[in-house]
Amino acid sequence: MRFLSAKRRHKAARPLLLVLALFLMGVVYAGFAPAGKSNADTTMTQQVKEGQALFAVGCSSCHGLQGEGGSQGPSLVGVGAAAVDFQVSTGRMPMAHPGEQAPRKPNSYTPEDTEKLAAYVASLGPGPAIPTDAQYNPSGLTEEQIAKGGELFRTNCSACHNFAGLGGALPDGRYAPELQGVPEKQIYEALRTGPQQMPVFSSQTLSDDDVRAIIGYLKELEEQPNRGGLNFGGIGPVAEGFWAWVVGIGGLIGFAVWIASKGARAK
């Protein structure tokens, strides 16, 4: 009993107990924390594997088995999940005729399969991720922010997409698609990834707030009432006045010439 009592009163007893307690806490943490991380990693790995299988069937003939690219399609290393989500969800990919501009068409993949393809391509190299709702949802924007979005759109986008987002022709038989009715998420992804001939607008060029403002402007244009008649591409009163002058004054001149010719015949 004296020997045990002396051991308990030893100067090193308290530090040793503290070390032992810390060791036990570490063991408990190691026993629980890695399990959750392992499950997440396993889920992600499974999604990537399934995406790789889908990629091998539907995409590898143009982009290569490892997304390295080929004669029919560019490399997908580093394009990011957002590019895949945009191209696949809009039906532009898989492309029926490589080399031509890919038009919007019905999506041939389910949303789940699209996520798997995006996860696999994202694993090939870092790139823009699929955005969250807060990054592209324009709800809550003020009129001033929407007006700023209109200025940004006219400065950066109207040269191709028209002032009202109605699209337009481009060189070499290409075209800028109409933006009316395009979901907000896809507009954001197109700005960040630059599909086909469109330039990439990074966050250093246009912040997420700027992109939301542009989207808000486009959505406000969609809500404007259609009063009928020809809108001349939404260019504005200058174009409308020009055609009124050509048709109106031209018609009057033609009518005057016709009357003069009738009078000359009567003499």
Side-chain angles (χ1 to χ4, degrees):
M1 291 296 292
R2 289 181 181 178
F3 175 76
L4 292 175
S5 178
K7 288 279 289 182
R8 289 175 183 172
R9 291 195 300 268
H10 197 280
K11 293 181 179 180
R14 289 185 178 179
L16 287 174
L17 288 173
L18 180 60
V19 171
L20 180 61
L22 292 173
F23 174 76
L24 291 174
M25 289 179 63
V27 171
V28 172
Y29 177 81
F32 288 96
K37 185 177 180 181
S38 176
N39 290 336
D41 289 345
T42 301
T43 302
M44 188 61 186
T45 302
Q46 184 64 26
Q47 188 181 45
V48 170
K49 286 182 178 179
E50 293 178 4
Q52 185 178 20
L54 291 170
F55 185 91
V57 174
C59 314
S60 62
S61 60
C62 293
H63 296 286
L65 284 172
Q66 303 299 324
E68 71 275 11
S71 60
Q72 299 295 323
S75 170
L76 299 182
V77 178
V79 301
V84 178
D85 186 69
F86 173 83
Q87 296 286 358
V88 176
S89 66
T90 60
R92 289 179 166 86
M93 295 292 162
M95 196 174 183
H97 304 288
E100 299 179 5
Q101 179 164 342
R104 176 185 287 271
K105 60 183 186 293
N107 183 7
S108 56
Y109 288 93
T110 65
E112 293 76 15
D113 287 344
T114 301
E115 289 182 5
K116 293 172 184 177
L117 283 169
Y120 170 66
V121 173
S123 71
L124 302 177
I130 296 175
T132 63
D133 183 77
Q135 291 177 285
Y136 59 80
N137 192 333
S139 60
L141 292 176
T142 64
E143 291 298 323
E144 290 77 12
Q145 289 173 311
I146 292 175
K148 180 184 177 183
E151 294 177 3
L152 291 170
F153 182 84
R154 288 187 290 272
T155 301
N156 297 283
C157 315
S158 63
C160 296
H161 290 283
N162 177 278
F163 288 86
L166 298 178
L170 297 174
D172 300 325
R174 298 179 181 273
Y175 62 91
E178 181 180 353
L179 300 179
Q180 297 285 327
V182 177
E184 295 94 334
K185 181 182 179 183
Q186 293 176 1
I187 296 175
Y188 181 99
E189 291 174 335
L191 282 164
R192 290 293 187 239
T193 62
Q196 299 179 104
Q197 64 271 8
M198 182 173 172
V200 175
F201 293 91
S202 66
S203 57
Q204 286 73 35
T205 304
L206 291 175
S207 67
D208 281 354
D209 289 337
D210 291 337
V211 174
R212 287 181 64 237
I214 290 173
I215 294 172
Y217 167 73
L218 291 172
K219 294 306 168 184
E220 186 167 275
L221 287 180
E222 292 180 7
E223 295 174 359
Q224 291 183 359
N226 184 1
R227 305 188 186 281
L230 299 176
N231 59 13
F232 299 104
I235 296 176
V238 174
E240 295 169 4
F242 172 77
W243 284 107
W245 178 270
V246 170
V247 175
I249 301 300
L252 290 174
I253 293 173
F255 185 66
V257 170
W258 179 77
I259 291 177
S261 65
K262 287 289 186 180
R265 290 176 183 176
K267 292 179 181 180

